[in-house]
Amino acid sequence: MIDYFLRTSTKSNMESCLLAAGVATRNASGDIIGQWDGGRVDIDFIGKIYGIVNEESVVIDERYHANLRVCGDLTQDQLDELPIIPAPTTPMRVFA
């Protein structure tokens, strides 16, 4: 099992990357869901990153973030399609 931290400029870019990597599909409602023939995948769509500044919640990163958990081995071509970033020192959310 491997967790990947992903970041793009917009939600639509994130969806395009996940679809291009073959780890997601659209359901009947048009929503992106994890689906992969190579094993199990889970996607946690996070969006913008918020933080507390002077006791107020503010956006601290406008880019779109998601976490991807993969149970199996992705190909190099799949990995190349994903906007993988280095694991944050203190991630906002992780899988349980």
Side-chain angles (χ1 to χ4, degrees):
M1 174 171 35
I2 300 174
D3 292 340
Y4 296 100
F5 297 89
L6 311 176
R7 182 175 60 212
T8 60
S9 57
T10 65
K11 180 179 180 180
S12 63
N13 286 350
M14 181 68 70
E15 291 175 345
S16 295
C17 291
L18 293 166
L19 291 168
V23 295
T25 190
R26 290 194 185 275
N27 65 14
S29 301
D31 298 321
I32 295 288
I33 57 170
Q35 180 175 315
W36 176 46
D37 293 337
R40 179 178 171 193
V41 296
D42 294 302
I43 304 169
D44 178 19
F45 292 102
I46 299 167
K48 297 176 183 177
I49 301 294
Y50 291 84
I52 303 297
V53 176
N54 296 326
E55 299 181 15
E56 290 188 34
S57 178
V58 296
V59 175
I60 59 174
D61 190 338
E62 291 278 343
R63 296 170 291 187
Y64 196 87
H65 297 78
N67 294 337
L68 175 68
R69 173 166 278 180
V70 178
C71 298
D73 295 321
L74 295 178
T75 66
Q76 188 59 53
D77 287 341
Q78 288 174 300
L79 292 170
D80 291 343
E81 293 289 348
L82 295 171
I84 299 169
I85 62 170
T89 304
T90 53
M92 294 297 293
R93 292 199 318 226
V94 295
F95 290 101

